[in-house]
Amino acid sequence: MRKRWFSQVQHTFAALASTTLLTLSLGFSPTLAQDPFRATNQRQIGDNTEAAFKAIFEQGNYQAAVNYLNQAETSEPNEPLAYAMKASLAYTLNDDINAFGNYGKRTLETGRQLIAQDPLRGNLYAAVGHFLQGAAALVREGTVRGTPQALSELRQVYAYLDKAEAVAPNDPELNLLRGYMDLMLAVNLPFSSPQQAIDRLVRFAGPRYLADRGLAIGYRDLDQYTEALTYVDRALQATPNNPELYYLKAQILAEQGKKQNNPSALKAAVENFDRAIAKKDQLPSSLVKQIERERSRTVQRVSGAS
């Protein structure tokens, strides 16, 4: 459960990824760097930071991302997005909660420093930094002891998001990040409606493939499988080389097949698990093991349904 929650945290920061296609085998050209979110009022994202996001969220290539981020830490020391990504990878790849917390703190610091120059992105990344700090407290201290700090950090998250929204309420980057956060909280908290977060992702968020990915995750967790499949297929149309999207589709189909006693959905789930595993060399080992476990359980259900 903890890994799944952190996977959702990671995909929250995927909201800040770019959409320009990256073909890793052809290399990365810094001269092509551009703001992937905005047609007007564009911001410059560091070349290595941008390349790392593309490697993870378009290609699902974590090892390439690590190399880009190591370069970004030196060449782009004032880019908070790089530190948010390094925080996520510290936990995803190495289960290193101390590094996770430290990079979360650096995200917060560089976000605050950016506010004077760019109030929108500065406040946005200050919110991300507080979000990471709250997540680290929950894991480090446990639910009982960590909850007070986590709630305190969450208040700061929304205070900074409100400041960013006051600058540009329809900004696609802002709405993508806030939509992910709001939807993740809504599906995990009782008496909380996800509809506002869904509307935000549908109407204002960008780039489109990441909004669709977030909607697929949200609908999966709401047990609305038809809608979840619609949005994951849309994300796959835009980024067909990312094995994590095939894993997400496999999860949706597996849950649908289990709850509806649908052998066809279960078999389709196995096929998508296999497509994800085919690129296991570029995924975190812990994620590969998780995919293989879920595939094995689904194969057993296929046998039981036959």
Side-chain angles (χ1 to χ4, degrees), residues 1 9 40 44 81 88 92 94 100 118 123 132 137 143 147 153 175 226-227 243 245 251-252 266 302:
M1 184 65 182
V9 171
T40 59
Q44 182 66 43
L81 179 54
S88 179
T92 302
N94 303 315
F100 180 89
D118 186 342
N123 282 297
L132 288 166
T143 302
T147 293
E153 298 289 353
N175 281 282
T226 299
E227 293 85 352
L245 285 175
Q251 285 184 316
I252 297 165
L266 293 172
V302 170

Side-chain angles (χ1 to χ4, degrees), residues 34-78:
Q34 57 183 317
D35 185 334
F37 307 101
R38 306 168 185 88
T40 59
N41 298 321
Q42 293 188 333
R43 272 73 169 178
Q44 182 66 43
I45 294 176
D47 295 335
N48 287 303
T49 302
E50 185 184 19
F53 261 120
K54 292 176 181 178
I56 295 175
F57 298 110
E58 292 182 7
Q59 301 292 326
N61 192 326
Y62 283 74
Q63 298 308 316
V66 168
N67 293 333
Y68 284 126
L69 285 173
N70 288 340
Q71 297 176 58
E73 194 164 7
T74 300
S75 63
E76 298 148 21
N78 299 318

Side-chain angles (χ1 to χ4, degrees), residues 49-291:
T49 302
E50 185 184 19
F53 261 120
K54 292 176 181 178
I56 295 175
F57 298 110
E58 292 182 7
Q59 301 292 326
N61 192 326
Y62 283 74
Q63 298 308 316
V66 168
N67 293 333
Y68 284 126
L69 285 173
N70 288 340
Q71 297 176 58
E73 194 164 7
T74 300
S75 63
E76 298 148 21
N78 299 318
E79 177 51 67
L81 179 54
Y83 298 122
M85 221 177 341
K86 285 187 76 73
S88 179
L89 292 186
Y91 186 84
T92 302
L93 295 176
N94 303 315
D95 206 20
D96 188 343
I97 192 60
N98 290 326
F100 180 89
N102 290 336
Y103 280 116
K105 183 178 180 180
R106 295 185 73 176
T107 304
L108 175 59
E109 292 170 348
T110 51
R112 285 174 172 168
Q113 292 168 6
L114 187 59
I115 290 174
Q117 173 188 343
D118 186 342
L120 173 63
R121 292 192 78 234
N123 282 297
L124 196 57
Y125 283 101
V128 170
H130 279 293
F131 189 66
L132 288 166
Q133 294 286 280
L138 282 175
V139 176
R140 186 184 294 113
E141 304 294 335
T143 302
V144 174
R145 295 179 60 187
T147 293
Q149 182 181 343
L151 291 176
S152 176
E153 298 289 353
L154 191 60
R155 285 192 290 271
Q156 291 293 323
V157 167
Y158 281 97
Y160 278 108
L161 286 177
D162 286 344
K163 291 178 182 178
E165 191 159 10
V167 176
N170 296 332
D171 181 74
E173 184 180 12
L174 166 68
N175 281 282
L176 193 62
L177 174 60
R178 188 157 194 168
Y180 264 76
M181 285 188 179
D182 288 350
L183 188 57
M184 186 180 70
L185 291 172
V187 300
N188 286 287
L189 294 176
F191 313 115
S192 181
S193 172
Q195 192 57 51
Q196 186 175 0
I198 289 172
D199 291 344
R200 186 185 291 274
L201 288 170
V202 169
R203 296 179 61 197
F204 300 117
R208 191 67 254 158
Y209 87 88
L210 281 175
D212 290 339
R213 181 172 177 166
L215 288 162
I217 292 169
Y219 279 121
R220 176 200 67 187
D221 294 344
L222 291 168
D223 299 333
Q224 297 182 28
Y225 304 119
T226 299
E227 293 85 352
L229 288 171
T230 295
Y231 283 107
V232 77
D233 282 340
R234 289 183 184 180
L236 276 166
Q237 287 177 1
T239 53
N241 296 320
N242 189 339
E244 286 190 288
L245 285 175
Y246 292 105
Y247 171 43
L248 175 58
K249 185 171 182 177
Q251 285 184 316
I252 297 165
L253 288 164
E255 287 298 310
Q256 182 185 52
K258 175 185 175 183
K259 293 189 176 181
Q260 298 178 0
N261 193 26
N262 185 337
S264 296
L266 293 172
K267 291 176 182 178
V270 173
E271 293 174 0
N272 280 277
F273 281 128
D274 288 340
R275 296 190 74 171
I277 293 171
K279 292 190 175 183
K280 64 181 181 180
D281 290 346
Q282 63 191 48
L283 294 172
S285 58
S286 60
L287 179 58
V288 173
K289 291 177 182 177
Q290 182 176 328
I291 296 171

